[in-house]
Amino acid sequence: MADLLFFLRLTTRRAGWMLLGAVFAVLVVALGLALLGLAGAVAVGVAGGLAWWLRPVALGRSAARYLEKLTTHEATFRILSDIRIWFFDRVSPLVPGRIDSGRGGGKGGTVSLRAGDLLSRLVGDVDALDGLYIQLAVPSLVALLTVLALAAVLSAVAPSVAVAVLALLLAGGLAVPALAERAGRAAGRQQVERSARLRQQAIDLTQGLTDLIAHEAVSAALAGAGRASARLGDAVRHQALVAAVGAAATQMLTQAALIAVLLVGVAAGADGEAVGPTLAIAAFVTLAAFEAIAPLPLAYQMLGRTRAAGRRLREVAETQPTVVDPAEPTVPPAGTDLRVDGVRFAYPGADSVALDGVDLTVRAGEKVAIVGPSGSGKSTLLALLLRFYDPDAGAVRIGGADLRDLAQDDHHARLGVLSQGTAILAGTLRDNLTLGAPDPDAASLDRALRIAGLDRFAADLPDGLDTWLGEAGVAVSGGEGRRIALARVILRDAPILLLDEPTEGLDAETERAVLAALAEATVGKTVVMITHRDAVAQAMDRVVRMEAGRLVE
């Protein structure tokens, strides 16, 4: 239960909404008890003068039910939003050091996550916590108050009936939910895990469809997704069976309680107790009370699913990042020169080093190209310059200051990065351009578009900069996406640029245009560029070569 208590503590910001929802939920049950109790009293003629109250109480219960649904769902949506932001804030520092990219194999403290699994935790596992408040906390509170209220009512109007009814009510409110939780525990955990696996396979299938088609592996991928779907269906069916049995057990206990009211009442009447008219009241109130405990078996049956989702979220959120800020960060230096001094580095769990005794100096305003075969350590060196990792030996410095002495935000604020992959997000062209510079003026936007060669492209769009680019930028070509990424870097106007294969995948004409744009955009800036294209390397001031983790001038 520690995981659930942890997430309940995260909900304190929404205590007002939660309390309001709980109040309306209690009011619904209270009005239900009053309505049926009053109906029973009117039916046996002991409260005929109160019959006119039936309609306003019934209308009040309906209004309270509406307000209860409104407030509890509002509280739930706000809670899920808070948890999702909390999780995202803790995942961000783990990328890429603790989120396995395939280099470390998930060893050495790295959480082995693929994009689909991480998305599953951010979306599916957070959604699985929706029952924590609305299905578990509120119904449990309502059921507890209902038992206490019923005990008070029955003890007052029919003491001899109270013991039998309360015993059955406790069986329905405690024993049945406990058995449902035990029966659904394993299936709930399997449902979370199998749902995550299916979501991951679906994402891999859609994102890797081109490669699957090229390797004629679509059928195999679809078969794997089908098997994952079937396994998830087994877990869902098991949960449905447990839910049906729990609901049936609660219904049987409800009927048993009504019979107990009649039998005990008749027996008490035979012993001379005046219980006749109160039997109808007791029967009606008992029905209302069992309505309050009816949701508990399903809620506790899903407890295993909720706990599994909570564990999966905390597993990632509590992982320590590979790099942390110093307790007292150094003031960022004014200089923009870069130095790599005797750096040695191996990825967590790797059998060999990625960098071995690398020394490199890039003067302020100098443009250096790094070339070499795949796997020689070029991208790793760039990752250390970004401080995604700290070196095992040696130091990486900017302006003479060791990166380990600087706050990461201060360091990243001075960098403009053009990675090998072009990330176009679902949004407008303006949204994608301003990711690194949220509030640019019109002149800066026009300059970035002109240098990147996007001015004509933007002018031809139906809504200009506010044109929607679609999921993953489906509305733009590869060359246009590369120019958008370049315009981002230009708009950021950082003094240090780190560029990883900026012309990868571009045709010769587009490459020349991008190089011309880079030449204008990098004037006066310190530039480190990874490339395997001769034309790109020749545009730099200096070229160095990497081989097997070592730097060769």
Side-chain angles (χ1 to χ4, degrees):
M1 296 294 290
D3 291 316
L4 300 186
L5 292 175
F6 173 84
F7 284 105
L8 280 175
R9 286 194 293 270
L10 289 180
T11 66
T12 52
R13 285 187 57 213
R14 308 302 178 184
W17 281 102
M18 295 169 64
L19 179 61
L20 190 60
V23 168
F24 282 122
V26 171
L27 183 60
V28 168
V29 174
L31 290 174
L33 289 170
L35 178 63
L36 290 182
L38 185 60
V42 171
V44 295
V46 299
L50 299 177
W52 67 274
W53 275 101
L54 289 174
R55 180 172 295 176
V57 172
L59 292 175
R61 183 175 183 274
S62 297
R65 174 69 75 184
Y66 171 78
L67 293 173
E68 179 250 336
K69 294 296 183 184
L70 183 68
T71 53
T72 55
H73 281 76
E74 181 68 21
T76 298
F77 292 144
R78 289 173 181 259
I79 289 169
L80 295 184
S81 175
D82 291 344
I83 293 175
R84 194 164 280 121
I85 293 172
W86 165 85
F87 183 70
F88 188 84
D89 286 343
R90 278 151 184 78
V91 167
S92 296
L94 303 181
V95 181
R98 291 298 186 191
I99 304 300
D100 182 28
S101 60
R103 294 185 179 98
K107 302 177 183 178
T110 300
V111 181
S112 182
L113 285 180
R114 300 169 69 181
D117 193 13
L118 188 59
L119 180 63
S120 177
R121 297 186 194 225
L122 181 62
V123 178
D125 290 349
V126 172
D127 285 344
L129 295 176
D130 63 353
L132 189 58
Y133 165 71
I134 199 170
Q135 291 182 335
L136 190 64
V138 171
S140 297
L141 173 65
V142 170
L144 174 62
L145 295 178
T146 299
V147 171
L148 296 177
L150 186 65
V153 171
L154 290 182
S155 297
V157 301
S160 57
V161 176
V163 175
V165 172
L166 288 175
L168 291 170
L169 192 64
L170 290 174
L174 293 177
V176 175
L179 292 174
E181 189 278 329
R182 185 177 182 84
R185 186 184 305 165
R189 183 178 63 252
Q190 292 170 356
Q191 187 175 348
V192 170
E193 294 170 352
R194 293 174 182 180
S195 177
R197 193 172 300 118
L198 177 60
R199 187 177 286 107
Q200 176 180 320
Q201 289 187 330
I203 291 173
D204 290 345
L205 179 61
T206 53
Q207 292 183 343
L209 186 58
T210 301
D211 292 334
L212 290 171
I213 293 174
H215 293 85
E216 298 182 350
V218 175
S219 297
L222 288 173
R227 289 191 295 271
S229 178
R231 288 192 293 269
L232 174 60
D234 291 340
V236 172
R237 279 190 291 273
H238 181 90
Q239 291 284 55
L241 177 61
V242 174
V245 173
T250 303
Q251 187 63 30
M252 291 174 63
L253 287 171
T254 304
Q255 303 306 316
L258 289 176
I259 294 173
V261 168
L262 296 176
L263 292 179
V264 174
V266 170
D271 292 337
E273 294 184 31
V275 296
T278 62
L279 284 180
I281 299 174
F284 277 91
V285 171
T286 298
L287 280 176
F290 271 88
E291 181 184 350
I293 70 166
L296 293 183
L298 178 61
Y300 281 86
Q301 169 201 337
M302 302 305 293
L303 189 58
R305 170 175 171 262
T306 306
R307 291 165 70 178
R311 279 194 299 270
R312 281 168 49 85
L313 291 173
R314 292 188 67 183
E315 176 189 14
V316 177
E318 295 179 357
T319 300
Q320 293 299 313
T322 53
V323 295
V324 294
D325 285 340
E328 297 182 3
T330 299
V331 176
T336 60
D337 57 296
L338 302 173
R339 286 185 58 190
V340 180
D341 295 329
V343 163
R344 180 183 175 87
F345 174 75
Y347 287 101
D351 297 327
S352 59
V353 296
L355 299 176
D356 188 9
V358 174
D359 292 287
L360 174 66
T361 298
V362 181
R363 297 183 299 275
E366 186 180 18
K367 301 174 181 58
V368 174
I370 303 177
V371 300
S374 297
S376 60
K378 304 186 301 297
S379 294
T380 300
L381 179 58
L382 207 65
L384 265 64
L385 290 172
L386 284 162
R387 210 195 166 206
F388 288 161
Y389 304 90
D390 286 331
D392 299 326
V396 180
R397 307 179 191 279
I398 177 173
D402 193 320
L403 293 188
R404 288 169 291 202
D405 296 330
L406 301 175
Q408 295 175 72
D409 287 346
D410 290 339
H411 174 53
H412 293 155
R414 306 178 68 195
L415 301 179
V417 181
L418 182 60
S419 59
Q420 185 173 350
T422 302
I424 304 297
L425 305 184
T428 65
L429 176 58
R430 187 188 304 275
D431 294 335
N432 277 274
L433 290 174
T434 58
L435 286 175
D439 298 306
D441 54 42
S444 298
L445 269 172
D446 291 342
R447 175 178 176 272
L449 291 170
R450 177 184 57 79
I451 295 176
L454 284 172
D455 45 353
R456 291 283 301 275
F457 169 76
D460 291 339
L461 292 174
D463 296 316
L465 293 178
D466 295 317
T467 300
W468 187 262
L469 300 184
E471 183 72 26
V474 295
V476 300
S477 66
E480 291 164 346
R482 207 72 182 136
R483 289 172 183 268
I484 292 173
L486 176 59
R488 281 185 199 145
V489 176
I490 297 169
L491 198 58
R492 186 168 172 78
D493 198 26
I496 302 172
L497 302 182
L498 304 178
L499 313 175
D500 189 355
E501 301 284 8
T503 61
E504 178 69 18
L506 302 182
D507 57 67
E509 181 180 354
T510 305
E511 180 182 68
R512 284 192 295 271
V514 169
L515 286 176
L518 280 173
E520 182 176 354
T522 58
V523 172
K525 301 182 184 298
T526 303
V527 179
V528 176
M529 178 189 293
I530 293 174
T531 184
H532 68 276
R533 308 284 285 267
D534 291 339
V536 179
Q538 290 170 7
M540 300 291 102
D541 299 331
R542 181 160 53 101
V543 180
V544 296
R545 182 175 181 81
M546 291 204 72
E547 294 180 358
R550 294 178 179 273
L551 205 59
V552 181
E553 287 286 347

